[in-house]
Amino acid sequence: MPNGYELKKIDADIYDKCLDSPVTADFVSAFESKEQYLSIGRGMVITKDSMIVAGASSYTRYNEGIEIEVDTVLEERRKHLATIVCSALILKCLEEGLYPSWDAQNMNSVRLAESLGYEYDHEYIAYEVRKQNMNIEEQFNLIANEYDINRRKFIPCFDDYYIASTKLILSSIAKPNSVLDLGAGTGLLSYYWYRECDDANYVLVDMADDMLNISRRRFEGIQNVRHMVLDYTKQFPEDSYDAVISALSIHHLSDVQKVELFQKIYDKLPAGGVFVNYDQFCGNTSEISKKIDAYWEKQLHSSGLDDRNIELWKERRKLDRECSVETELAMLKNCQFRNVQCVYSYHKFSVIVAQK
């Protein structure tokens, strides 16, 4: 096992962690409940910095054994983690008299199985059936695998930034009836809000219709989610909202534009309404900013991103007009927001909450 990695059994706490990511949800999602999985399911994971990076689990369970599901997050592959975690699960099954069945979907899976002692038997045709009316979790997983896989590589603190921060915020405020997402893109941030507050009405705004098309697929069939194509710096939605949220969009605006936007948001919110900005920021000094930026780029090179994606990222960075967290906090206070605070920060990535 590489240094810094831990092998763990899927217990009640790990079960909950599995559901936080589309990569790991399949380890437990085929069971009706946590209680059912803990009773008859079997699984092992490998964690790094408290995050699940690989796992092997019972995708299904029958009297004599299990059907193994195995996966490793993309940036942690080629480190033999799948071999380690599968070996642990197989040994556990054999100790209990359970047969660890393995159906390989592709040749990589065949090679992994053979390295674990399985012998190739035969090939057969399998059909994949997709439901027409998938629920929000299933739709998110489908879209995430196609479009959001790189977001985790660009944001090393992804789960804390999107998931933990959202849970913290929504546990601390009155649940909103209406939410406006500015620069919504593929709908990623709204998904995490929707998961915690699914009875609110959501309006997702972005100037890129192609991005919103991905979001439309993500929320297909969900009646309380609407999409609007517009540039929110030029045309602001007319309705009022209990919460205005945004992720990785506002840092493209100049400081003057930021202040103008914050004032519009303040005017739209009712008393007690909240504005939440998940964004990237510079340091208080140019020297600090250079060090943080250099560290971020170093992380990207070790994340598994290819050279093309890194070069595209460098081009996008030329459009950034970041301010510091302290500067944005002051802007919001000057716009008369109260209870302005930074509730999460990791290097360049911070989450700021401002209440009217």
Side-chain angles (χ1 to χ4, degrees), residues 102-144:
W102 190 295
D103 272 14
Q105 186 181 32
N106 51 52
M107 288 310 299
N108 287 334
S109 182
V110 170
R111 285 190 286 269
L112 175 58
E114 290 177 337
S115 74
L116 292 164
Y118 289 89
E119 294 182 0
Y120 178 79
D121 187 358
H122 66 280
E123 181 177 332
Y124 65 91
I125 296 174
Y127 296 91
E128 180 179 359
V129 179
R130 294 184 178 179
K131 294 188 296 184
Q132 288 187 338
N133 297 313
M134 292 186 290
N135 63 32
I136 182 64
E137 191 82 22
E138 292 167 328
Q139 289 175 193
F140 172 75
N141 291 344
L142 179 63
I143 299 300

Side-chain angles (χ1 to χ4, degrees), residues 1 16 23 132 135 158 180 185 190 224 282 284 302 304 329 349:
M1 179 81 69
D16 292 334
V23 178
Q132 288 187 338
N135 63 32
F158 182 97
L180 173 65
S190 281
N224 54 330
C282 63
N284 284 329
S302 61
L329 292 174
F349 300 97

Side-chain angles (χ1 to χ4, degrees), residues 211-244:
M211 299 287 278
L212 286 181
N213 279 335
I214 299 169
S215 181
R216 292 183 183 103
R217 288 181 57 195
R218 194 192 301 275
F219 291 103
E220 186 175 357
I222 307 300
Q223 299 300 315
N224 54 330
V225 177
R226 295 190 298 118
H227 298 83
M228 296 177 62
V229 181
L230 59 81
D231 181 349
Y232 63 77
T233 65
K234 297 177 180 177
Q235 180 185 355
F236 206 79
E238 294 182 357
D239 297 332
S240 61
Y241 302 89
D242 298 325
V244 178

Side-chain angles (χ1 to χ4, degrees), residues 210-345:
D210 287 345
M211 299 287 278
L212 286 181
N213 279 335
I214 299 169
S215 181
R216 292 183 183 103
R217 288 181 57 195
R218 194 192 301 275
F219 291 103
E220 186 175 357
I222 307 300
Q223 299 300 315
N224 54 330
V225 177
R226 295 190 298 118
H227 298 83
M228 296 177 62
V229 181
L230 59 81
D231 181 349
Y232 63 77
T233 65
K234 297 177 180 177
Q235 180 185 355
F236 206 79
E238 294 182 357
D239 297 332
S240 61
Y241 302 89
D242 298 325
V244 178
I245 62 177
S246 183
L248 299 173
S249 176
I250 294 174
H251 71 273
H252 294 122
L253 307 183
S254 68
D255 285 359
V256 171
Q257 289 175 310
K258 289 185 180 77
V259 172
E260 291 175 350
L261 175 65
F262 296 158
Q263 193 61 62
K264 289 179 183 177
I265 293 171
Y266 179 87
D267 293 340
K268 284 289 183 181
L269 289 171
V274 295
F275 166 54
V276 188
N277 188 22
Y278 304 65
D279 219 334
Q280 64 186 57
F281 298 86
C282 63
N284 284 329
T285 67
S286 58
E287 182 179 359
I288 292 174
S289 291
K290 288 178 182 178
K291 289 181 178 179
I292 294 175
D293 288 348
Y295 184 76
W296 185 21
E297 183 169 349
K298 182 180 178 181
Q299 285 184 308
L300 295 184
H301 281 286
S302 61
S303 70
L305 285 167
D306 57 31
D307 291 340
R308 177 179 175 274
N309 272 300
I310 291 178
E311 287 305 313
L312 289 173
W313 166 77
K314 289 180 178 178
E315 286 300 311
R316 291 195 299 269
R317 289 279 287 145
K318 295 177 182 178
L319 301 175
D320 292 348
R321 297 181 176 183
E322 301 164 344
C323 65
S324 67
V325 169
E326 289 77 10
T327 297
E328 184 155 310
L329 292 174
M331 290 176 178
L332 291 164
K333 290 176 182 177
N334 288 337
C335 290
Q336 305 306 311
F337 280 98
R338 62 184 181 89
N339 295 336
V340 179
Q341 60 181 317
C342 177
V343 298
Y344 175 79
S345 188

Side-chain angles (χ1 to χ4, degrees), residues 105-207:
Q105 186 181 32
N106 51 52
M107 288 310 299
N108 287 334
S109 182
V110 170
R111 285 190 286 269
L112 175 58
E114 290 177 337
S115 74
L116 292 164
Y118 289 89
E119 294 182 0
Y120 178 79
D121 187 358
H122 66 280
E123 181 177 332
Y124 65 91
I125 296 174
Y127 296 91
E128 180 179 359
V129 179
R130 294 184 178 179
K131 294 188 296 184
Q132 288 187 338
N133 297 313
M134 292 186 290
N135 63 32
I136 182 64
E137 191 82 22
E138 292 167 328
Q139 289 175 193
F140 172 75
N141 291 344
L142 179 63
I143 299 300
N145 287 335
E146 293 184 54
Y147 298 99
D148 297 331
I149 191 66
N150 281 344
R151 184 58 67 95
R152 287 183 174 272
K153 296 179 181 179
F154 284 111
I155 305 175
C157 54
F158 182 97
D159 285 344
D160 285 342
Y161 186 64
Y162 278 105
I163 302 173
S165 295
T166 297
K167 288 182 177 180
L168 170 65
I169 293 162
L170 282 170
S171 69
S172 305
I173 64 172
K175 287 293 178 71
N177 293 316
S178 55
V179 179
L180 173 65
D181 187 348
L182 299 176
T186 64
L188 186 61
L189 177 60
S190 281
Y191 163 74
Y192 286 115
W193 273 66
Y194 182 93
R195 201 164 72 170
E196 300 298 319
C197 184
D198 62 3
D199 54 353
N201 292 308
Y202 291 81
V203 175
L204 281 63
V205 169
D206 201 286
M207 62 193 301

